[in-house]
């Protein structure tokens, strides 16, 4: 797969402190800290790789999914870097179902509490809002209080599991959150 073609297709987003770019399999080497038990405890074993090789395979599968021409929801995985040092610090995923999108995020423990996840998520939400997404969804395990708090700061509210939309990230017991995008009455 041509890495530059993937970047051009999805684009690179920049904030004051971060660069958010399409995730590639090669990013696994830079994000090995995602294998930390403090990160894995919030995921089911099937969703979190246990080795660097498994992480690389997971990222390769995400890269393939992002480039798939299949009909249905479109998957957009991103890696997050610090603008200053170009260090990979986490990843975000967005699964777009027409006007709805699921968002997920995971960051290395060394940057927890520094506002990077919020900054990156706000940039992603704004980007997908501009291309027509009206509602964002997040599915979070009940014991993941940091992610639940982040979702609240991002404007998400508790919601019921939607009947008209299959949330791919939802597992029994997850907390479902939704953020509605306000419609600007002056925008045409």
């Amino acid at each position: 797969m041509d890495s530059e073609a993937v970047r051009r297709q999805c684009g690179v987003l920049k904030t004051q402190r971060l660069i958010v770019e399409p995730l590639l399999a090669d990013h696994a080497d830079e994000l090995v800290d995602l294998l930390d038990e403090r990160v894995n405890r919030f995921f089911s074993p099937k969703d979190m790789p246990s080795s660097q090789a498994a992480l690389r395979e997971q990222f390769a599968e995400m890269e393939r999914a992002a480039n798939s021409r299949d009909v249905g929801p479109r998957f957009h995985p991103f890696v997050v870097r610090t603008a200053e040092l170009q260090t990979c610090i986490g990843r975000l995923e967005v699964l777009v179902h027409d006007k709805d999108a699921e968002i997920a995020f995971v960051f290395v423990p060394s940057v927890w509490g520094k506002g990077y996840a919020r900054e990156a998520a706000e940039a992603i939400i704004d980007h997908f809002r501009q291309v027509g997404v009206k509602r964002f969804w997040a599915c979070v395990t009940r014991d993941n209080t940091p992610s639940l708090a982040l979702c609240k700061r991002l404007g998400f509210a508790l919601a019921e599991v939607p009947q008209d939309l299959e949330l791919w990230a939802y597992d029994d017991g997850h907390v479902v959150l939704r953020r509605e995008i306000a419609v600007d009455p002056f925008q045409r």
Side-chain angles (χ1 to χ4, degrees):
M1 242 172 256
D2 177 13
S3 300
E4 286 307 308
V6 172
R7 287 186 205 289
R8 285 191 302 274
Q9 177 186 1
C10 293
V12 174
L13 305 174
K14 294 182 179 181
T15 70
Q16 184 175 354
R17 302 183 301 161
L18 302 173
I19 299 168
V20 181
E21 62 189 39
L23 180 140
L24 305 171
D26 291 341
H27 289 127
D29 297 333
E30 297 178 80
L31 283 170
V32 72
D33 286 348
L34 291 180
L35 299 174
D36 188 298
E37 173 55 33
R38 292 171 291 174
V39 175
N40 289 336
R41 68 187 168 114
F42 296 120
F43 297 93
S44 68
K46 69 177 177 58
D47 294 331
M48 212 57 208
S50 59
S51 68
Q52 187 169 356
L55 184 66
R56 177 177 272 285
E57 181 52 39
Q58 182 186 57
F59 281 18
E61 180 58 35
M62 288 179 176
E63 186 178 348
R64 285 189 293 276
N67 290 302
S68 171
R69 300 275 185 230
D70 291 345
V71 175
R74 297 292 303 157
F75 182 63
H76 303 277
F78 296 91
V79 68
V80 181
R81 296 181 179 281
T82 60
E84 183 179 359
L85 300 175
Q86 300 288 306
T87 305
C88 283
I89 59 171
R91 65 181 170 88
L92 290 155
E93 300 168 17
V94 178
L95 184 66
V96 178
H97 312 258
D98 192 28
K99 302 290 184 194
D100 290 271
E102 294 178 66
I103 186 169
F105 40 83
V106 59
F107 283 75
V108 299
S110 62
V111 301
W112 290 355
K114 297 182 180 178
Y116 291 128
R118 181 178 183 174
E119 189 174 327
E122 286 175 340
I124 287 290
I125 289 169
D126 186 58
H127 171 75
F128 283 94
R129 177 195 57 78
Q130 290 179 36
V131 297
V133 172
K134 302 294 183 206
R135 260 188 320 254
F136 290 88
W137 299 86
C139 300
V140 181
T141 58
R142 292 188 187 286
D143 62 338
N144 191 344
T145 53
S147 289
L148 291 169
L150 172 59
C151 286
K152 184 177 180 179
R153 285 191 303 275
L154 289 167
F156 283 79
L158 291 174
E160 296 293 323
V161 176
Q163 299 302 308
D164 60 340
L165 176 68
E166 179 185 358
L167 296 176
W168 289 24
Y170 179 76
D171 283 327
D172 285 339
H174 275 168
V175 175
V176 177
L177 301 119
R178 180 182 67 221
R179 176 177 168 182
E180 299 278 343
I181 299 301
V183 177
D184 181 351
F186 299 105
Q187 187 178 8
R188 292 193 179 246

